[in-house]
Amino acid sequence: MRIADEEGVESLSMRKLAQKLGVKAMSLYNHVTNKDDILCGIVDIVVSEIEVPSLETDWKTAMRRRAISAHEVLLRHPWATMALMSQMNTGSAMLRYVDATLGCLCKAGFSFEMADRAWNAIDSHIYGFTLQELNFPLAATEYAEVAKNFVAFIPADQYPYLNQLTHHVIEGRYDGIHDFEFGLELILNGLDQFREKI
């Protein structure tokens, strides 16, 4: 996991891992099948760092805490979001995490079908927002300065609303920073209508 965090998951190889461990690469095959097996294992370690929803907590609070925790964990491990999205993950941490999520939602009055749809909608927000944050070409501190440089490309007669928004950022009336919790609240409040009140 340290190799993936520091150098990117694409740099992880059986040879490099063996070298870091001070063993021969072939000896690793006594413990794992291949690099994909290692990747599944380290993804499960990442998932184990995410707060598991409590069945004793209000569902919105539990889902909010779960989402914020997942976002923070995935920012710490920049490679992990794509790995989570592109693999079947059946490690014990992942199974516990998903089971607790479903349990929290079902206990709150969601049917199994709606609980599945709900946690997938929440996770789509987490993964999408995290990838955008990790890959956004500007630092938040640069927004106003970049807006000043680009406002000439957004003439008010052609793009009146975008031009006005850009001036809000330039003048400091709005910071332009994307807000993870804003989207999360929209999803949680929207989901409320799909549960049976208990």
Side-chain angles (χ1 to χ4, degrees):
M1 192 163 72
R2 280 196 300 272
I3 293 170
D5 285 348
E6 292 166 10
E7 302 172 36
V9 74
E10 62 285 340
S11 70
L12 180 61
S13 67
M14 298 295 272
R15 188 166 7 111
K16 184 174 277 190
L17 180 58
Q19 186 179 25
K20 294 267 189 192
L21 295 171
V23 298
K24 294 197 183 301
M26 290 307 293
S27 67
L28 294 177
Y29 291 99
N30 294 322
H31 306 281
V32 293
T33 308
N34 52 31
K35 179 182 167 180
D36 287 342
D37 200 16
I38 292 171
L39 190 56
C40 287
I42 62 175
V43 165
D44 208 49
I45 294 170
V46 169
V47 172
S48 74
E49 296 177 9
I50 300 171
E51 184 174 336
V52 174
S54 167
L55 272 63
E56 307 307 315
T57 305
D58 165 72
W59 77 272
K60 277 189 185 178
T61 301
M63 290 300 107
R64 187 179 298 108
R65 287 168 49 178
R66 169 194 181 273
I68 292 168
S69 173
H71 180 58
E72 290 170 352
V73 167
L74 293 174
L75 288 176
R76 284 199 307 269
H77 305 286
W79 56 272
T81 304
M82 285 303 296
L84 267 168
M85 293 168 49
S86 60
Q87 291 186 318
M88 292 295 293
N89 300 294
T90 57
S92 59
M94 180 57 118
L95 295 176
R96 185 171 49 254
Y97 174 64
V98 173
D99 188 68
T101 300
L102 288 170
C104 180
L105 292 167
C106 288
K107 190 174 175 193
F110 290 92
S111 67
F112 277 101
E113 179 184 349
M114 285 312 304
D116 187 51
R117 291 180 187 276
W119 82 268
N120 278 288
I122 294 166
D123 281 11
S124 292
H125 175 64
I126 296 167
Y127 298 157
F129 196 99
T130 302
L131 287 173
Q132 181 178 350
E133 188 169 339
L134 288 169
N135 294 288
F136 202 71
L138 304 173
T141 54
E142 299 174 311
Y143 285 11
E145 189 60 36
V146 170
K148 275 188 221 171
N149 295 332
F150 274 88
V151 74
F153 297 101
I154 313 168
D157 60 333
Q158 286 183 271
Y159 312 105
Y161 300 104
L162 188 53
N163 181 279
Q164 287 179 57
L165 175 62
T166 304
H167 279 286
H168 276 64
V169 173
I170 292 168
E171 295 159 13
R173 290 187 278 161
Y174 171 57
D175 60 17
I177 297 170
H178 304 142
D179 185 350
F180 177 76
E181 291 188 45
F182 176 78
L184 178 60
E185 287 305 313
L186 288 177
I187 293 168
L188 293 176
N189 290 334
L191 287 171
D192 208 19
Q193 67 183 301
F194 293 104
R195 69 187 188 97
E196 295 175 15
K197 306 299 185 202
I198 54 174

